[in-house]
Amino acid sequence: MKRKLNNSRLFYQFLLSHVLIFAIPFTILSGVVYYNAVVRFKSEIETSNVYKLNQVKNTFDLLVRGLDNTASRISIDRHLTPFMVRSGIYNEMEAVEELSKYKVNNTIVDEVALYFHGDRQLYSSIGMNSFDTFTERIYRFSDIDGDRLAKEMSELQLPEIRRIQTYLSGSDQKQNMLLYMFPIPRNSQSPYGTVSFIIRESVMTDLVGPILGDFNGSVYISDANGRILASRSRENNLTEQNAINEMSRHNEEGIYNATIGGERYSLMQAKSDLTGWSYVIAMPTSQFLDRVLEMRTFILLICSAVVAFGILIAVLLSTRQYRPIRSIAEYARSLQGRSPAIADRRHNELDLIRDSVHATRDLMEQINHQRPIVREQFFVRLLVGSIKDSGEITAFMARENMTLPGESCFVAVIPTDGYEHISTQSREELLRMLSEVALPGAVGYGVEMIQDNVIAILIVTGCDVTAMRETQEESAREIVRLFEQCWGIRPTVGIGNPVSGMPLVNRSYIEASAAMEANARGRRGGIVFFDELSEWQESNEWYSVEEQIRMVQSMKQGNKEAARTALATIMSDLQGKDVSLFYLRCMCFDLINTFLRTMNELKLNIQQEHRRNLIEFSTLKQLNAGMDGLIDDICDYVQANKESKSSALGADILHYIGQHYNEYDLNLEKIADHFRMSLSYFSRFMKDQTGYTFTDYVTHLRMEEVKRQLKSSDLPIKNIVTSVGYSDVSNFMRKFKNTEGLTLGQYRKLHS
């Protein structure tokens, strides 16, 4: 009974919500609608029509501006100057072609005609014709002949529009055209020609026609002199002459009433400041009262019907919405293993569903799919020293459910360059095995460091100091075994010194890189430990060779912070030395030589101010300042070189995709294999360089090529789609319509 009671409570909440949602706005809306229908119906219609008139006025102002701009462009078009056009038949043909382009770019224009003063012919998109041919054969004007048209164009000083009647082709039926003439050059006191635009009156009436809606009346457009340019009427006896007379008496904008021919009219007028044209709507006033009376009765009937069915609809909606919620809640209870009684004491159905959504399987699958990429980025940042906060590391480990065997860790580095071509499949297999590998007494996490051409494995162990070297050797041998298994080669492994805590692993990574690089000139293969590099140091009189190697390797990686830390340790060591001045200067010059060798390897010149500090130093503080400047120069150079290589690689990748995007077998694995990258690194690199995923970028190129061919060729659509690398034509057509909102055929028709 308790479960039924809770279910009923939720159902009643739904029912009450639907009743309130319906009743409150319905009550308000009924009052507003009734008031508007009875009291303000006429005013609203008139105001609405004035607003529409202003929209039409603004639209025509834009069209006139467009025609004005077109006339200006024609006046400065070098192909349409009098000298060029009159220079021969070829230039005349070129002028006709240019006018055709201007006609195509103006959708409302039926024809564009160009006339130069003194000529006896017109140039238009259909060719060069005499005035008589143009007015009597091409357009068959009934109220203007060729001589009169030529005279008007010759004497034109300001833009002028006029209404002309013409016969339809092949019949005696007449239609109205608008002739809009502009002198060129624009705003010149001495124009040398005239540009004329011929516009069908129907183009304008099609724009103003919908203003009336379902009411009867007339719409007129007149020029600044009161001449009608276009008109449209619906079941209205008002003549154009009556409209002209009434507009002459009321020249101001706004709404006013008038009696014309014994009938009352409501007139709404708007006037353009740009052209001086007037836009007028004339509607019989009697139709408003009839419509109001009809609407009053209709509204009362509707209100009664809505009130009668309102509660019934609310009940039906509440029942339909509650039923699936109850079913989902029962399913959620079964998944959680709770009894209904326990669940209902703590949750209602909606709370139970919300808790279940938080643990949905689809969401977990998405998280699991992104986890390897997030984990890889975390370890890359950790190795390069970008993460110093132990709290951030601990939070990440807890979020990823990673259990570490201890606090001690070290880094192993294996070079990836210098080998024969390794396939992407083999590279991915190795990285998958190294992403989290169980080692003797430790666990390792491997990532690819593309810019340094190495694979780095962060190894975490819980063994004590006495067993650390044995753990390092066993871990290195296991890593070598995995390389031999996947790549068939025995690599060189550089091992850094162990550190206590993951925030310090950048130090071990630098040491491992230095150990690997120290063995680069020797034979390939073997395990090199960083601490073995300084075994030749027999006494404590010399500064630490280990810090020297760390400093050099940090500079080669562009890590200023690590390089300065190592330099500070060396300088502090030199300041505490109790040796002769000669011996101290020998150590200083050896340190200077270390910088010079590093800069020589990088082919980097020393700047003059740093050269002076290194040669003329008299104190260790001066020497330290000069070396700090060198560290800045070297690390900045290394970082800029890495960025330059990344940009060049990105350009090469985009160029390769641009050359091969129309191939059927182009895929992520093929490109990653071509550029010797892992799939995960290539995906990240592609996203950073273009902002697109690889698939989206290739799809974008193919889409653009298909659109280009649809515009510029008559090839069958199937041939175009297959030519850009798609074998499934129907699938591409669905994708194209979803992207562009048009089918391929509609796109071609629109842009042809």
Side-chain angles (χ1 to χ4, degrees), residues 175 243 245 284 333 424 476 549 572 732 750:
Q175 67 172 351
N245 296 335
R333 291 190 189 98
T424 301
I549 297 173
S572 177
F732 175 81
L750 180 64

Side-chain angles (χ1 to χ4, degrees), residues 166-178:
T166 181
Y167 290 96
L168 292 176
S169 178
S171 69
D172 292 330
Q173 186 178 355
K174 293 182 179 181
Q175 67 172 351
N176 292 328
M177 307 288 286
L178 298 177

